[in-house]
Amino acid sequence: MSQPLSLDPALIEAAQTATAWPFEEARKLVERLKRTGKKEALFETGYGPSGLPHIGTFGEVARTSMVRNAFRVLTGDTIPTRLIAFSDDMDGLRKVPDNVPNKELVASALGKPLTQVPDPFGTHESFAHHNNARLREFLDAFGFDYEFLSATECYKAGRFDKTLLTVLERYDAVMAIMLPSLREERQQSYSPFLPVHPKTGIVMQVPIDERKLDAGTIVWRDPATGERFETPVTGGHAKLQWKPDWAMRWVALGVDYEMAGKDLIDSVKLSGEIAKALGGLPPDGFNYELFLDDKGQKISKSKGNGLTIDEWLTYGTPDSLRLFMFNKPREAKKLYFDVIPRQVDDYLTFLEKYPAQDARMRLMNPVWHLHAGNPPAPELVSSGGGNQPGTTISFSMLLNLVAVANSEDPGVLWGFIRRYAPGVSPETHPRLDSLAKRAVRYFEDFVKPQKTYRLPDEVEAASLRRLEEALGSFEAEGRPATAEAIQDEIYNVGRTEPRYQDFKAKGATPERPGVSIEWFNTIYQVLLGEPRGPRFGSFVALYGVKESRALIRKALAGDLVREHEAFLKERAA
C-alpha cells in the first residue's frame, strides 16, 4: 500500500506543467501506460547482495521514489503503484569481500549462490540473508515504501518459470543479441543459462550441449569431470547471466520503470533488446551520472575512495543526503565531505520557504519530493519575540559558532542559542539539536584543520577597532542588538573606510556609498579564519555583542593566529 499523499486539485493542476525532473520522468510513464493499457505502474530497483547496501543503493531507491510520487500526483493517485527492491541473491559468489570477518568460511563457498554461502557474521542462515536483512533495515530506516523480492525465492517458487521457458525457446535470438558484445574467446563458451551443479551447488558457467524444449531442460558437462547433466531451466535449478536475467525479470514481473547508472548504458540497451526478443517491453527510465571523489575520480567500491552512508550521516542529516540525490541526477557530482554543509543549509533554506509557496512553486521545491509531498515544518528561531518572524539557524552558522565557542560540547552552543532565543531548546527544536551535534563533529574533523587566520594590516585593524567600538554602543546605549541593527552598524563602519567604499553598488550615492565585499572578507579571514562566512550581523546577535567584541580584540592582539598555529603544531606532532 502506497503512503498517503496530498492531492488537492491545485496540486494536481500544477503537476501537469511542473518542470522538476521527477515530473518529466513521470510523464513518460503516464504515456507508457496509456499505450500499454496497464492498470498498475511497477517500479524496480536492483541490489547485488555480495556487499552491504551503499550510498548508490540509497540514491537509486530515493530517486525512483521521487518519480513514483510525481506519477501519483499526475494521475491523481488513480493508478496503483508499487516499488520492488530486488536482490539478485542467486548470483554465484565470485570473490571474498575485503570487509567481512571469517574470510575462510566464505572462501569455502566460492561459486555457490549467495543464499548458499555461510554468513561470516554468524547472524543469518546465509551471507545473502544477512545482507538482504541489512538492505531492508537500511530502506526502512529512511522510510521508503517498497516490496522486497529475492531472486532465489522467485526462481525456486516458479515465479520466473514461464519467462525462463520463453528464453529457452528463443535461445538463438538471445544469443544473437549477446554474442556481438562479448570477446571472441567468451563467445565460444557463452550461454545465457547458468545451471546449478546438482552435486557441488556451484553456479556453473559452461557451454550448453543441447536444449530440450519439450522437457524444458539444458544439457551440459562438468568441465572438471566430463560428467554429463540434464538440468531444468525452471524451479531454481538454473539461473540466467545477469543481462538476460535483467531482461527476463522485466518481462516476468512487468516492470515499467527502472533507472541505472551511466556505466550501465550498454547493458540497459542489450537487456532492452533481449526483453523485446522475449515479447516484452523494456521499462522506461534514465541513466544517472556517477559520483566523483574529492580529486574528481569516479568512486569505486573496491578503491574505497568515496563516502559511505554512515560517514555522511555522521556529519550531515538524512534529508541533506536526499537533497544531494535530488539535485541534477544526470550530472557527475563530487561526493565527499566538503559537500555536506552546503547540502544541509540548502535543505534548511528550501524547507523554510515551503510554507509560503503556492502549489506550482511547492512542486518545484525539492522538499516536496524528498518528503513525498509532506515536508515537516521548519524549525524557526526568533530573538525578538512578539511579531518578529523567525529564521533558521544554518549549519554554517553553527560551524562558526563552534569555532569561536572553543568547545566540543554541543551544550555550549545551546547556551548561546538559548540566550539569543530563550524559548528554544533541544526539546522544541530537535532538528537544530541534531545539527549542533553534527556541527561539532564536522568542525573538529574538517573545518578546524583547514582554517587560515591572518593578522590585519593597518587599514583593516583600524576598521576592526571601529567595529568593536560600534558594537559597544549597543551595550552603552541599551539599544536592542538585533541582527538587522548590528548589520547596519557593520555597513556603516565599512562606509567610513575608502578601501571598502563601493560607489557602483545599487542605491549608492557620494554621501552614502555602498560597501564592497572586501570588508566582509576581512572580517571572515581575520576573525573566523575563513574566506567566506555567514551574515555577520546574525552571527554577532547569536554569539553575543560582548563576546564578539572580545573576539575582535583577540584578533587584533594576534591571539587567534597564535592559538591556531599552536593547534596545528600539536596536531602534526
Side-chain angles (χ1 to χ4, degrees):
M1 179 66 68
S2 300
Q3 296 172 340
L5 191 67
S6 174
L7 292 169
D8 64 82
L11 199 71
I12 296 175
E13 180 181 357
Q16 307 311 310
T17 56
T19 57
W21 70 262
F23 281 104
E24 293 176 348
E25 289 299 299
R27 285 191 194 93
K28 295 191 305 187
L29 192 52
V30 170
E31 293 304 314
R32 174 191 176 95
L33 265 64
K34 287 180 181 178
R35 295 192 305 271
T36 62
K38 278 190 67 179
K39 303 302 181 183
E40 177 189 69
L42 183 64
F43 299 80
E44 183 184 55
T45 64
Y47 168 62
S50 58
L52 296 174
H54 53 86
I55 208 159
T57 310
F58 170 84
E60 195 165 303
V61 178
R63 287 166 172 163
T64 303
S65 298
M66 294 171 193
V67 177
R68 180 187 181 189
N69 291 326
F71 176 84
R72 292 176 61 196
V73 174
L74 280 174
T75 59
D77 215 12
T78 58
I79 299 176
T81 63
R82 292 190 293 137
L83 169 59
I84 289 175
F86 190 92
S87 173
D88 189 15
D89 56 17
M90 198 173 165
D91 196 21
L93 180 67
R94 294 174 176 81
K95 64 177 183 178
V96 179
D98 294 329
N99 59 346
V100 299
N102 301 314
K103 289 182 172 60
E104 298 81 5
L105 182 68
V106 176
S108 67
L110 281 176
K112 292 185 178 181
L114 290 162
T115 45
Q116 297 301 314
V117 176
D119 178 15
F121 299 94
T123 59
H124 292 77
E125 61 185 275
S126 76
F127 188 33
H129 284 85
H130 175 274
N131 288 346
N132 286 341
R134 291 291 300 274
L135 172 69
R136 299 177 76 167
E137 292 169 6
F138 171 79
L139 298 179
D140 292 343
F142 283 97
F144 289 119
D145 177 32
Y146 69 98
E147 300 172 28
F148 175 80
L149 284 185
S150 156
T152 299
E153 293 176 3
C154 288
Y155 269 99
K156 289 187 173 181
R159 190 164 184 176
F160 293 155
D161 282 359
K162 179 179 179 182
T163 313
L164 288 168
L165 291 171
T166 302
V167 175
L168 185 64
E169 176 189 342
R170 304 183 185 182
Y171 185 94
D172 292 336
V174 174
M175 290 288 281
I177 294 168
M178 284 301 304
L179 289 181
S181 70
L182 304 173
R183 298 189 308 274
E184 184 175 355
E185 63 177 272
R186 185 75 182 96
Q187 292 177 357
Q188 307 307 313
S189 62
Y190 181 83
S191 166
F193 285 102
L194 302 173
V196 178
H197 200 297
K199 295 183 177 179
T200 66
I202 291 175
V203 180
M204 303 296 293
Q205 296 199 38
V206 291
I208 301 302
D209 294 342
E210 185 181 355
R211 290 175 289 130
K212 297 185 176 182
L213 298 183
D214 291 342
T217 59
I218 51 177
V219 179
W220 57 280
R221 293 180 184 274
D222 185 331
T225 65
E227 187 175 1
R228 196 167 184 262
F229 296 96
E230 182 175 342
T231 299
V233 299
T234 55
H237 298 287
K239 76 177 296 288
L240 292 175
Q241 300 265 12
W242 81 270
K243 290 169 189 173
D245 186 85
W246 206 5
M248 180 276 297
R249 193 163 77 227
W250 288 342
V251 175
L253 299 178
V255 177
D256 296 296
Y257 191 91
E258 181 164 3
M259 58 179 68
K262 189 178 180 180
D263 56 331
L264 296 180
I265 288 177
D266 291 339
S267 300
V268 170
K269 290 178 180 178
L270 281 173
S271 295
E273 289 302 311
I274 295 171
K276 293 175 185 177
L278 299 179
L281 179 65
D284 285 344
F286 75 90
N287 295 102
Y288 51 82
E289 258 290 1
L290 305 180
F291 300 130
L292 307 176
D293 65 14
D294 58 328
K295 297 179 178 63
Q297 302 298 312
K298 289 183 180 179
I299 283 177
S300 165
K301 284 192 291 183
S302 61
K303 291 180 182 178
N305 61 333
L307 193 64
T308 68
I309 287 274
D310 288 341
E311 286 171 335
W312 184 294
L313 296 181
T314 297
Y315 305 104
T317 60
D319 295 325
S320 67
L321 180 56
R322 291 179 191 268
L323 178 61
F324 181 83
M325 297 301 173
F326 174 86
N327 287 333
K328 300 178 180 178
R330 291 183 177 89
E331 294 184 13
K333 295 184 294 186
K334 188 169 73 169
L335 177 58
Y336 211 64
F337 294 102
D338 56 0
V339 307
I340 294 176
R342 174 66 181 273
Q343 296 301 312
V344 173
D345 280 348
D346 282 352
Y347 172 79
L348 295 174
T349 299
F350 287 126
L351 193 64
E352 185 172 344
K353 291 179 178 178
Y354 186 84
Q357 292 176 326
D358 60 19
R360 183 183 68 85
M361 291 303 297
R362 286 185 171 187
L363 295 182
M364 292 289 291
N365 190 324
V367 299
W368 186 91
H369 300 272
L370 309 189
H371 296 286
N374 188 32
E379 290 185 351
L380 304 181
V381 174
S382 175
S383 65
N387 297 322
Q388 276 201 344
T391 58
T392 300
I393 295 180
S394 69
F395 193 59
S396 58
M397 180 73 80
L398 290 171
L399 288 174
N400 282 289
L401 196 58
V402 175
V404 296
N406 195 28
S407 173
E408 298 180 12
D409 181 4
V412 174
L413 297 190
W414 273 106
F416 292 108
I417 296 169
R418 282 196 182 95
R419 186 181 60 188
Y420 174 75
V424 174
S425 70
E427 291 71 33
T428 62
H429 287 59
R431 194 180 307 123
L432 179 56
D433 187 44
S434 170
L435 286 180
K437 294 172 182 174
R438 287 178 164 93
V440 169
R441 290 288 302 273
Y442 191 89
F443 176 80
E444 289 296 323
D445 292 346
F446 299 107
V447 178
K448 190 174 183 180
Q450 301 301 321
K451 279 185 172 289
T452 307
Y453 290 93
R454 67 174 178 83
L455 294 171
D457 62 27
E458 291 184 6
V459 172
E460 293 168 337
S463 296
L464 287 170
R465 278 192 289 270
R466 287 195 295 273
L467 176 58
E468 192 268 338
E469 293 169 1
L471 293 178
S473 68
F474 286 100
E475 295 179 303
E477 300 170 11
R479 288 190 295 148
T482 65
E484 291 74 17
I486 295 169
Q487 191 75 5
D488 287 343
E489 289 295 338
I490 296 169
Y491 272 103
N492 290 336
V493 170
R495 289 189 180 96
T496 64
E497 170 51 50
R499 178 190 290 187
Y500 302 134
Q501 293 172 350
D502 182 3
F503 294 99
K504 295 181 180 179
K506 184 179 180 180
T509 65
E511 295 76 22
R512 186 178 172 79
V515 179
S516 74
I517 191 65
E518 187 179 353
W519 170 223
F520 293 96
N521 289 343
T522 296
I523 293 173
Y524 302 143
Q525 293 164 12
V526 175
L527 302 185
L528 300 177
E530 297 282 349
R532 294 172 299 276
R535 188 171 182 265
F536 203 66
S538 299
F539 172 79
V540 173
L542 182 58
Y543 183 47
V545 169
K546 179 181 177 182
E547 288 77 7
S548 298
R549 293 179 68 195
L551 181 67
I552 294 172
R553 291 193 294 269
K554 285 185 69 173
L556 293 173
D559 292 345
L560 298 182
V561 171
R562 284 190 292 271
E563 288 173 2
H564 193 64
E565 288 175 347
F567 161 74
L568 294 176
K569 184 177 181 179
E570 181 182 352
R571 187 170 183 264

